[in-house]
Amino acid sequence: MNLSQLRTLRPSEFEEAADGWHKVSSAAGEAKDRVDNEILATLRHHLEGKGRDAALVRLQRLSRNFQYTQVESGLIRTALNGLASELRAAQKKLNGALADAEAEKFTVKPDGTVQWVSQREKVPFNPEHTTWAGGPGSAITFDPQQAKAQACADRIGAAIQDANEADARYSQTLDRLKADNDLDVTSSDWADAQRDMRSLQKSADKYLQRNDIPQDKSPAENAKWWRGLSPEEQADFFSLFPSVIGALDGLPSAIRDDANRVILDETQARVQLELDRLGPEPAEYDPGDGHSGPYVSKDWEEWHRKHDRLNAQLKGIKAIQERLDQTGADGLPPAYLLGFDAKGKGRAIVATGNPDTAKHTAVYVPGTGSNLEGAKGDISRMTDLWYDSQQFAGGENLSTVTWIGYDAPQSAFPGDKGDAWPEAASVDWANDAAPQLHRFMDGVQVAQGGPGTGHTTLIGHSYGSTVIGDASLKGRIATDDILVAGSPGMLVPEADDLGVGANHVWSEAASSDKDQVPQGGKAVGLGGWKWGAQYWHGIPYSYGPQEVVPSDEAFGAHRISTDSPDHSGYWDRGSVSLWNQAAVATGNYDRVKYG
């Protein structure tokens, strides 16, 4: 690009093209939502049989195609907007230099060189120009016009260089944004889309940066930042940084859901490709060298380590996708993926129904052993709670959320997973999780419109209740009710210490022969210490220091009926345990059953 081209350039033409791609991306997103939430939902709800199943497969493929189109078109839009922004900045720099040159009556040539009038003669500016006035021994002559001309020439050159660098960067990225001309979006396509996004992040780092997004801010500040962006800026941040936008507490659930679904598809593609590249399983044993062996092959151990990790990730991803695909089945509302990360034990936050518009929202914190691989069971519990709550909801919108948003301990008893001392005996996991739970609950409240907009219940199972207790020590949690099941302790001695009032704390616990976790929690110190009497059905039987958990009368919570046969049965469909959770979650306290 030369001076004349940059001077006459119209960056708005790139923005107009970006607007066109924005319409394509938006239309693809809307079409995907219509397929998922209307067409597929209607088929699942009203039809059955092989014909329906075949149609579902094709429509799900169509939905994936629309989503891929939305993502790739969004990247093209962002690239064009970024290019326009940088070219406009270069043009502004050029025009400023040209205006200053004109004011000084300099002459700017087509190649960018600058001429000025000295006191002696017209001298063209070039890098070899000298200010010596005469021959050897002559004094140096200072010409102030030369310095000004030099500055103008430098600015002109810098503007042209900026424009050419931007053109080269974005051209390379735009050349990548191509797709195969077929009807099937494969794992390779999604992996390519992820590479496209990373390429554009590098190209557009002068336009949008990761650091432009709030970091370690409150959900209210996150929401304020998002609302302060133009629709175009929101779309571009979404395209460039979906994993960051999807994890930002306080943003609308629909935005987080769209962003996290992109990450889910890209992660599934990456994991599947990695799994395919592992190849066949090596021989388990190495025969040795005749002097030692046979012994377990290191190649076999490494293959299994990678294979098991990737399979665990795929299992969790498929469980999430299964729930996303269940919209409309037996009346289920759309699901919202509010958080996803496959790293480590994995994270998944899945809502049945939109919590932003729900009259009642229940957030479930699972306990020991929860991770991405086992997400199916935890998601199913909240799906079952949604179903059972319909008898109380009276037609009001309801959302039930599975929050696998922390690294949970993976062993509950000595010997589990080879641990001499169980991970669940430590409060460290709760200490780490508490701030994350606080932020998420604040974000739910912000997205709903602030305190008092809806009724929220926080449900903790097993060690999940310990996380809730730890969070309460760091300030009041944004919830109206707290309900725990099979709690090993909440690190506080009384229900009043949880910040919602003892009348809004509820405890379910099967008898000690069915659920040993409450007693186990006392043994390892997860309860709260207090002085006083211990009671059995209101009758005191000892006095002194005692470790108190929510199922103890001394804790002061509502001890409600449960028919759970063990530590895991509190969400069995049709059970008294689930009935009571549904009653509390919908604010129907008068229908809670006591044992």
Side-chain angles (χ1 to χ4, degrees):
M1 188 176 299
N2 58 34
L3 184 151
S4 177
Q5 290 171 324
L6 180 56
R7 191 173 189 179
T8 59
L9 184 72
R10 293 181 57 202
S12 60
E13 292 180 348
F14 294 103
E15 292 170 332
E16 289 168 4
D19 289 342
W21 283 103
H22 178 66
K23 291 176 181 177
V24 173
S25 180
S26 297
E30 291 169 1
K32 175 192 175 300
D33 290 342
R34 184 163 181 265
V35 170
D36 288 344
N37 300 330
E38 295 180 30
I39 302 174
L40 283 170
T42 300
L43 285 176
R44 292 190 186 102
H45 187 62
H46 293 289
L47 299 177
E48 58 184 25
K50 292 182 178 180
R52 185 207 69 164
D53 293 343
L56 290 178
V57 170
R58 290 186 175 229
L59 286 167
Q60 285 168 343
R61 184 177 69 180
L62 178 63
S63 172
R64 287 193 297 272
N65 289 348
F66 279 136
Q67 184 171 19
Y68 181 76
T69 302
Q70 178 188 15
V71 170
E72 290 286 90
S73 299
L75 291 174
I76 295 172
R77 178 205 62 234
T78 302
L80 290 170
N81 278 334
L83 176 60
S85 174
E86 292 194 38
L87 290 178
R88 179 173 280 108
Q91 190 179 62
K92 182 178 180 181
K93 185 186 289 187
L94 173 67
N95 289 337
L98 293 176
D100 289 347
E102 184 179 0
E104 294 290 341
K105 295 183 170 49
F106 295 156
T107 299
V108 180
K109 290 193 163 187
D111 63 356
T113 59
V114 179
Q115 287 184 327
W116 79 96
V117 178
S118 73
Q119 293 179 350
R120 301 183 310 280
E121 58 181 336
K122 261 187 187 178
V123 183
F125 169 74
N126 59 64
E128 287 74 35
H129 178 71
T130 177
T131 57
W132 289 98
S138 300
I140 295 177
T141 300
F142 175 71
D143 188 346
Q145 292 298 88
Q146 179 188 4
K148 293 179 182 178
Q150 173 77 60
C152 285
D154 289 345
R155 289 162 60 194
I156 290 169
I160 295 172
Q161 183 177 356
D162 288 350
N164 281 313
E165 287 180 353
D167 180 61
R169 277 187 284 110
Y170 283 101
S171 294
Q172 185 178 21
T173 298
L174 285 166
D175 283 343
R176 290 182 52 89
L177 292 170
K178 299 175 182 177
D180 295 330
N181 187 20
D182 56 36
L183 295 177
D184 192 19
V185 178
T186 65
S187 294
S188 296
D189 291 328
W190 275 115
D192 185 62
Q194 192 171 41
R195 289 191 293 270
D196 291 342
M197 180 185 67
R198 289 172 179 167
S199 174
L200 183 55
Q201 286 173 350
K202 294 178 181 178
S203 298
D205 64 349
K206 292 184 179 178
Y207 172 55
L208 295 179
Q209 295 185 2
R210 165 67 179 84
N211 291 337
D212 295 331
I213 303 173
Q215 301 179 64
D216 300 322
K217 299 294 185 182
S218 70
E221 291 172 305
N222 294 341
K224 182 179 179 181
W225 168 78
W226 183 256
R227 290 194 300 267
L229 300 175
S230 68
E232 292 77 15
E233 289 171 326
Q234 289 179 349
D236 288 344
F237 273 112
F238 177 96
S239 294
L240 273 185
F241 307 104
S243 63
V244 184
I245 297 301
L248 215 54
D249 292 315
L251 266 59
S253 292
I255 298 297
R256 297 181 68 174
D257 175 57
D258 282 345
N260 285 311
R261 288 190 190 219
V262 172
I263 301 304
L264 183 77
D265 284 335
E266 291 180 347
T267 302
Q268 182 175 21
R270 175 185 57 77
V271 171
Q272 186 62 61
L273 289 173
E274 285 186 38
L275 195 60
D276 294 342
R277 284 195 293 266
L278 279 181
E281 179 182 4
E284 182 175 359
Y285 291 99
D286 191 314
D289 56 7
H291 301 287
S292 62
Y295 49 84
V296 176
S297 164
K298 290 183 178 179
D299 289 342
W300 182 86
E301 289 181 327
E302 179 65 13
W303 186 92
H304 262 280
R305 184 185 65 80
K306 293 180 179 179
H307 183 269
D308 293 348
R309 173 179 58 83
L310 294 171
N311 263 337
Q313 291 176 342
L314 275 183
K315 184 178 179 181
I317 290 170
K318 289 178 179 178
I320 294 170
Q321 189 63 54
E322 181 180 315
R323 172 56 195 97
L324 299 180
D325 291 342
Q326 284 177 338
T327 296
D330 297 325
L332 273 181
Y336 292 80
L337 185 56
L338 304 181
F340 173 76
D341 190 346
K343 293 190 291 291
K345 296 180 178 69
R347 310 285 178 92
I349 307 173
V350 182
T352 291
N354 189 344
D356 298 1
T357 57
K359 177 67 175 177
H360 301 284
T361 302
V363 178
Y364 165 64
V365 183
T368 302
S370 61
N371 51 38
L372 178 60
E373 180 182 9
K376 182 179 178 67
D378 289 321
I379 294 171
S380 295
R381 286 176 173 178
M382 286 302 97
T383 302
D384 289 341
L385 178 59
W386 186 90
Y387 277 126
D388 268 41
S389 296
Q390 296 311 299
Q391 60 193 313
F392 301 112
E396 295 176 326
N397 287 340
L398 174 72
S399 176
T400 55
V401 184
T402 298
W403 187 79
I404 311 174
Y406 77 111
D407 286 333
Q410 298 298 297
S411 57
F413 299 100
D416 283 2
K417 300 185 181 297
D419 296 329
W421 187 250
E423 291 182 348
S426 171
V427 298
D428 292 344
W429 307 92
N431 292 162
D432 293 340
Q436 300 169 63
L437 179 60
H438 243 299
R439 254 194 322 271
F440 178 76
M441 297 304 295
D442 283 346
V444 170
Q445 188 177 82
V446 167
Q448 288 178 338
T453 308
H455 168 251
T456 303
T457 303
L458 189 54
I459 301 172
H461 178 226
S462 191
Y463 196 88
S465 69
T466 309
V467 172
I468 295 172
D470 198 303
S472 73
L473 298 174
K474 296 172 173 61
R476 192 185 189 284
I477 310 173
T479 188
D480 300 291
D481 288 281
I482 292 175
L483 188 152
V484 297
S487 172
M490 301 185 74
L491 308 179
V492 296
E494 295 182 347
D496 258 336
D497 296 326
L498 296 173
V500 296
N503 202 41
H504 288 276
V505 180
W506 314 79
S507 172
E508 293 181 338
S511 58
S512 59
D513 61 317
K514 296 178 180 178
D515 188 351
Q516 300 174 7
V517 168
Q519 292 301 317
K522 288 185 179 184
V524 297
L526 295 182
W529 284 95
K530 66 183 292 187
W531 282 83
Q534 296 188 52
Y535 293 86
W536 183 77
H537 293 286
I539 303 172
Y541 62 89
S542 70
Y543 188 87
Q546 55 181 305
E547 176 99 358
V548 181
V549 299
S551 52
D552 292 329
E553 287 185 56
F555 190 77
H558 292 287
R559 300 197 303 163
I560 55 181
S561 289
T562 177
D563 50 359
S564 176
D566 50 35
H567 184 61
S568 301
Y570 297 99
W571 288 269
D572 291 347
R573 288 293 300 274
S575 66
V576 173
S577 306
L578 195 56
W579 166 285
N580 277 337
Q581 290 187 43
V584 172
T586 56
N588 287 275
Y589 308 130
D590 59 332
R591 301 185 68 179
V592 172
K593 298 179 180 180
Y594 292 84

